[in-house]
Amino acid sequence: MRSLALLLALFGWASPLWAQEATLSEIFDAPPHVTPQELMQKAPGREKRYVLKCVVTFQRLDGIFMAHGGDTNFILTPRRLAWPSGVTELRLRPGDEVEVSGFLFNAKELIQMNDAVFRVTARDRPVPQPIELNEAQLLEFPHKCDLVRLKAPLNFLTRSKTSSHFLTRLSIGDQVKAVAFLGTTSEFSRDRIPDGYMMELTGFLTRQNNQSYIWLRTPEDIRVLGPGPAMQKQRLWQWSTVGVIAAAAIALWIVALRRQVSIQTRELMQTNARLEASQTDLRANLSREKEVSDLKSSFVSMVSHEFRTPLAVILSSTELLRNHAARLSEDKQRTQMDNIIQSTQIMSGMIEEVLVLGKVEDGRMTCTPVPLDLADFAAVLVDEGLSATKHRCPIKLQITDLQEQALADPALLRHIFSNLLSNAVKYSPEGSPVDFTLTREGNDAVCIIQDRGIGIPEGDLARLFQAFHRAGNVGQRSGTGLGLVIVKRCVDLHSGSIQIESIEHGGTTVTVHLPVFG
């Protein structure tokens, strides 16, 4: 009798625990069975479950899946807690017919069910075919999770990683903006999707907070069709002006050389006159002549080495287009045009550095301070730097204690910051971050630019501010060896200071102090 009483007591204590776990009957049989049309008339809430049948069209990596039934589409969020006995959580395939029990979340525009428990009742049911859309039709489409095929240009692409998968986010559209999402188990490469290119995306279209979203199933749902309308216009303009740019660059180069020769000739004539005065002047002028000769030799060496490659590329691409344009594909023609533009920009940049150094050395560049918001100025330079380097490396700007306006020369600051940021990106691996910090210490604005690039060999640190000198580990990277020389001259004109700390293969940190407050 005591054993029987004990068993009854244990049973009475445990029975409430059993009652907490819903049975299959309570989940699939007890709730009302409804059609999609009937479910649209129900009020959302967690007070009552509903059961319906539908066919799966796609399941995302996070478990959420899209389905359809009775000419109606659904979004269903599976149960996150333990599943009831007799039902096993599994991955669904397109065409699986499932019986779903869940709470109605939203029935205004699109049926959504949360805490869904499902079981497969059949396989290989037919699934809808994509609906063809263009960008102009996007706003008028009902956005009820239909499978669509949309053609629109890519604005930009970002990637992130969750705990279980990688998520790629594509911003698309010129007139009508939309966002497409792709979840993958391995990182998705964006190399085959350039910004500005026209794409064909196949996925499920929804809308939330006046924003259109497209959920892609696999990377094969993305097709690159070629340059978009905006990029085609830009390419046409670039091709039509490349000849003018090249001619202007060569003309500037010749003018710079003639001016330098004229200056050197005048200096040599003055030196010859002083030679007749005294032996002391002779020694001084011989030393000066040697410096000018070394500078000229370095300049000629730089021109012959750095200008030869871009000029060869321009000549080769121009001859190829002139002689074989009819046999080249559109992509190959665009490649040759891009080569011409890039080489011309390289030559233009080197000529600009030579001209700036000439102004500094001649004393024609002075410091003219004006009131300036350093924070806004730095943000603009970062945007320009990212655009000029085609976002090769992210630039992280951090600004503190710069509420007061500075008194500085914006032209000189542009040379300082632009050259330092350009060097940091140029000598860093692609994708490696560059830190740009601006803060205030007393009357000084302190700029710190730090990269994680190839660094500077110890033997080259002492010659960083010598014209036309380049470190021994720069490899095939283009440059004139004038960037840091210009930076140093512009810092000196502000009565500031510059320090460079670097370890080969360990990155470089440049710290600039400019007394621009107070």
Side-chain angles (χ1 to χ4, degrees), residues 80-101:
R80 300 301 185 190
L81 303 177
W83 287 55
S85 300
V87 177
T88 303
E89 184 177 8
L90 74 162
R91 294 294 299 177
L92 297 172
R93 302 174 303 181
D96 286 350
E97 181 185 80
V98 293
E99 187 175 40
V100 181
S101 172

mmCIF file of all heavy atoms in Angstrom, residues 80-101:
data_model
loop_
_atom_site.group_PDB
_atom_site.id
_atom_site.type_symbol
_atom_site.label_atom_id
_atom_site.label_comp_id
_atom_site.label_asym_id
_atom_site.label_seq_id
_atom_site.Cartn_x
_atom_site.Cartn_y
_atom_site.Cartn_z
ATOM 1 N N ARG A 80 12.064 28.098 -31.974
ATOM 2 C CA ARG A 80 13.449 28.185 -31.526
ATOM 3 C C ARG A 80 13.747 27.265 -30.341
ATOM 4 O O ARG A 80 14.890 26.918 -30.094
ATOM 5 C CB ARG A 80 13.790 29.623 -31.124
ATOM 6 C CG ARG A 80 13.614 30.624 -32.269
ATOM 7 C CD ARG A 80 14.481 30.285 -33.450
ATOM 8 N NE ARG A 80 14.388 31.309 -34.489
ATOM 9 C CZ ARG A 80 14.899 31.174 -35.703
ATOM 10 N NH1 ARG A 80 15.530 30.068 -36.043
ATOM 11 N NH2 ARG A 80 14.778 32.151 -36.600
ATOM 12 N N LEU A 81 12.711 26.891 -29.553
ATOM 13 C CA LEU A 81 12.924 26.043 -28.386
ATOM 14 C C LEU A 81 12.882 24.578 -28.801
ATOM 15 O O LEU A 81 12.834 24.236 -29.979
ATOM 16 C CB LEU A 81 11.860 26.352 -27.327
ATOM 17 C CG LEU A 81 11.817 27.824 -26.873
ATOM 18 C CD1 LEU A 81 10.687 28.036 -25.884
ATOM 19 C CD2 LEU A 81 13.139 28.250 -26.264
ATOM 20 N N ALA A 82 12.886 23.686 -27.785
ATOM 21 C CA ALA A 82 12.862 22.250 -28.088
ATOM 22 C C ALA A 82 11.585 21.886 -28.833
ATOM 23 O O ALA A 82 10.495 22.383 -28.517
ATOM 24 C CB ALA A 82 12.970 21.456 -26.791
ATOM 25 N N TRP A 83 11.713 21.015 -29.828
ATOM 26 C CA TRP A 83 10.564 20.584 -30.608
ATOM 27 C C TRP A 83 9.817 19.477 -29.859
ATOM 28 O O TRP A 83 10.412 18.708 -29.114
ATOM 29 C CB TRP A 83 11.017 20.090 -31.974
ATOM 30 C CG TRP A 83 11.448 21.207 -32.858
ATOM 31 C CD1 TRP A 83 12.380 22.146 -32.584
ATOM 32 C CD2 TRP A 83 10.933 21.529 -34.148
ATOM 33 N NE1 TRP A 83 12.506 23.041 -33.611
ATOM 34 C CE2 TRP A 83 11.631 22.683 -34.591
ATOM 35 C CE3 TRP A 83 9.960 20.983 -34.961
ATOM 36 C CZ2 TRP A 83 11.373 23.263 -35.818
ATOM 37 C CZ3 TRP A 83 9.713 21.565 -36.197
ATOM 38 C CH2 TRP A 83 10.405 22.698 -36.614
ATOM 39 N N PRO A 84 8.504 19.363 -30.048
ATOM 40 C CA PRO A 84 7.733 18.322 -29.352
ATOM 41 C C PRO A 84 8.124 16.928 -29.838
ATOM 42 O O PRO A 84 8.643 16.754 -30.943
ATOM 43 C CB PRO A 84 6.284 18.661 -29.703
ATOM 44 C CG PRO A 84 6.378 19.441 -30.968
ATOM 45 C CD PRO A 84 7.651 20.223 -30.887
ATOM 46 N N SER A 85 7.847 15.949 -29.012
ATOM 47 C CA SER A 85 8.150 14.562 -29.366
ATOM 48 C C SER A 85 7.389 14.176 -30.629
ATOM 49 O O SER A 85 6.208 14.495 -30.799
ATOM 50 C CB SER A 85 7.764 13.621 -28.220
ATOM 51 O OG SER A 85 8.478 13.950 -27.043
ATOM 52 N N GLY A 86 8.110 13.499 -31.511
ATOM 53 C CA GLY A 86 7.487 13.060 -32.769
ATOM 54 C C GLY A 86 7.757 13.972 -33.924
ATOM 55 O O GLY A 86 7.439 13.647 -35.063
ATOM 56 N N VAL A 87 8.346 15.174 -33.675
ATOM 57 C CA VAL A 87 8.682 16.110 -34.755
ATOM 58 C C VAL A 87 10.177 16.408 -34.652
ATOM 59 O O VAL A 87 10.675 16.721 -33.584
ATOM 60 C CB VAL A 87 7.868 17.418 -34.652
ATOM 61 C CG1 VAL A 87 8.308 18.380 -35.747
ATOM 62 C CG2 VAL A 87 6.386 17.116 -34.755
ATOM 63 N N THR A 88 10.892 16.316 -35.772
ATOM 64 C CA THR A 88 12.330 16.547 -35.799
ATOM 65 C C THR A 88 12.629 17.768 -36.662
ATOM 66 O O THR A 88 12.130 17.875 -37.777
ATOM 67 C CB THR A 88 13.068 15.330 -36.379
ATOM 68 O OG1 THR A 88 12.738 14.186 -35.596
ATOM 69 C CG2 THR A 88 14.567 15.551 -36.341
ATOM 70 N N GLU A 89 13.449 18.699 -36.140
ATOM 71 C CA GLU A 89 13.850 19.871 -36.926
ATOM 72 C C GLU A 89 14.723 19.416 -38.092
ATOM 73 O O GLU A 89 15.658 18.643 -37.907
ATOM 74 C CB GLU A 89 14.617 20.850 -36.050
ATOM 75 C CG GLU A 89 14.977 22.139 -36.770
ATOM 76 C CD GLU A 89 15.680 23.126 -35.858
ATOM 77 O OE1 GLU A 89 16.022 22.735 -34.722
ATOM 78 O OE2 GLU A 89 15.888 24.260 -36.291
ATOM 79 N N LEU A 90 14.439 19.901 -39.323
ATOM 80 C CA LEU A 90 15.191 19.486 -40.484
ATOM 81 C C LEU A 90 15.235 20.620 -41.494
ATOM 82 O O LEU A 90 14.453 21.560 -41.423
ATOM 83 C CB LEU A 90 14.563 18.242 -41.120
ATOM 84 C CG LEU A 90 13.243 18.430 -41.927
ATOM 85 C CD1 LEU A 90 13.031 17.237 -42.819
ATOM 86 C CD2 LEU A 90 12.048 18.636 -41.009
ATOM 87 N N ARG A 91 16.193 20.502 -42.438
ATOM 88 C CA ARG A 91 16.289 21.471 -43.521
ATOM 89 C C ARG A 91 15.267 21.126 -44.595
ATOM 90 O O ARG A 91 15.084 19.955 -44.938
ATOM 91 C CB ARG A 91 17.686 21.455 -44.135
ATOM 92 C CG ARG A 91 18.796 21.921 -43.211
ATOM 93 C CD ARG A 91 18.686 23.365 -42.840
ATOM 94 N NE ARG A 91 18.761 24.230 -44.020
ATOM 95 C CZ ARG A 91 18.630 25.535 -43.964
ATOM 96 N NH1 ARG A 91 18.387 26.138 -42.819
ATOM 97 N NH2 ARG A 91 18.733 26.259 -45.054
ATOM 98 N N LEU A 92 14.602 22.161 -45.085
ATOM 99 C CA LEU A 92 13.565 21.951 -46.091
ATOM 100 C C LEU A 92 14.117 22.229 -47.482
ATOM 101 O O LEU A 92 15.047 23.006 -47.669
ATOM 102 C CB LEU A 92 12.380 22.873 -45.803
ATOM 103 C CG LEU A 92 11.664 22.617 -44.470
ATOM 104 C CD1 LEU A 92 10.651 23.709 -44.197
ATOM 105 C CD2 LEU A 92 10.992 21.243 -44.468
ATOM 106 N N ARG A 93 13.491 21.591 -48.478
ATOM 107 C CA ARG A 93 13.875 21.773 -49.875
ATOM 108 C C ARG A 93 12.726 22.402 -50.645
ATOM 109 O O ARG A 93 11.555 22.175 -50.305
ATOM 110 C CB ARG A 93 14.233 20.432 -50.513
ATOM 111 C CG ARG A 93 15.363 19.684 -49.814
ATOM 112 C CD ARG A 93 15.561 18.308 -50.427
ATOM 113 N NE ARG A 93 14.336 17.515 -50.383
ATOM 114 C CZ ARG A 93 14.227 16.268 -50.840
ATOM 115 N NH1 ARG A 93 15.265 15.691 -51.407
ATOM 116 N NH2 ARG A 93 13.093 15.622 -50.758
ATOM 117 N N PRO A 94 13.019 23.166 -51.675
ATOM 118 C CA PRO A 94 11.937 23.684 -52.515
ATOM 119 C C PRO A 94 11.089 22.528 -53.052
ATOM 120 O O PRO A 94 11.607 21.525 -53.530
ATOM 121 C CB PRO A 94 12.676 24.423 -53.633
ATOM 122 C CG PRO A 94 13.980 24.810 -53.015
ATOM 123 C CD PRO A 94 14.335 23.685 -52.091
ATOM 124 N N GLY A 95 9.779 22.686 -52.954
ATOM 125 C CA GLY A 95 8.866 21.639 -53.398
ATOM 126 C C GLY A 95 8.359 20.756 -52.285
ATOM 127 O O GLY A 95 7.457 19.938 -52.500
ATOM 128 N N ASP A 96 8.904 20.907 -51.057
ATOM 129 C CA ASP A 96 8.382 20.137 -49.924
ATOM 130 C C ASP A 96 7.020 20.688 -49.514
ATOM 131 O O ASP A 96 6.862 21.893 -49.278
ATOM 132 C CB ASP A 96 9.333 20.229 -48.724
ATOM 133 C CG ASP A 96 10.578 19.392 -48.910
ATOM 134 O OD1 ASP A 96 10.612 18.603 -49.873
ATOM 135 O OD2 ASP A 96 11.513 19.523 -48.106
ATOM 136 N N GLU A 97 6.029 19.797 -49.424
ATOM 137 C CA GLU A 97 4.724 20.188 -48.891
ATOM 138 C C GLU A 97 4.750 19.959 -47.389
ATOM 139 O O GLU A 97 5.105 18.879 -46.922
ATOM 140 C CB GLU A 97 3.605 19.367 -49.535
ATOM 141 C CG GLU A 97 2.211 19.750 -49.040
ATOM 142 C CD GLU A 97 1.141 18.831 -49.599
ATOM 143 O OE1 GLU A 97 0.983 17.717 -49.061
ATOM 144 O OE2 GLU A 97 0.480 19.230 -50.570
ATOM 145 N N VAL A 98 4.421 20.998 -46.608
ATOM 146 C CA VAL A 98 4.486 20.894 -45.151
ATOM 147 C C VAL A 98 3.151 21.293 -44.545
ATOM 148 O O VAL A 98 2.394 22.109 -45.104
ATOM 149 C CB VAL A 98 5.605 21.789 -44.587
ATOM 150 C CG1 VAL A 98 6.961 21.292 -44.997
ATOM 151 C CG2 VAL A 98 5.410 23.232 -45.011
ATOM 152 N N GLU A 99 2.867 20.703 -43.394
ATOM 153 C CA GLU A 99 1.751 21.116 -42.556
ATOM 154 C C GLU A 99 2.350 21.948 -41.426
ATOM 155 O O GLU A 99 3.224 21.480 -40.694
ATOM 156 C CB GLU A 99 1.014 19.898 -42.000
ATOM 157 C CG GLU A 99 -0.270 20.274 -41.261
ATOM 158 C CD GLU A 99 -1.051 19.036 -40.817
ATOM 159 O OE1 GLU A 99 -0.413 18.057 -40.374
ATOM 160 O OE2 GLU A 99 -2.273 19.067 -40.916
ATOM 161 N N VAL A 100 1.905 23.199 -41.282
ATOM 162 C CA VAL A 100 2.515 24.163 -40.379
ATOM 163 C C VAL A 100 1.509 24.567 -39.308
ATOM 164 O O VAL A 100 0.345 24.862 -39.610
ATOM 165 C CB VAL A 100 2.995 25.415 -41.133
ATOM 166 C CG1 VAL A 100 3.653 26.396 -40.176
ATOM 167 C CG2 VAL A 100 3.966 25.025 -42.223
ATOM 168 N N SER A 101 1.996 24.592 -38.054
ATOM 169 C CA SER A 101 1.200 25.093 -36.931
ATOM 170 C C SER A 101 1.970 26.247 -36.300
ATOM 171 O O SER A 101 3.140 26.096 -35.937
ATOM 172 C CB SER A 101 0.971 23.987 -35.898
ATOM 173 O OG SER A 101 0.355 24.508 -34.728
#
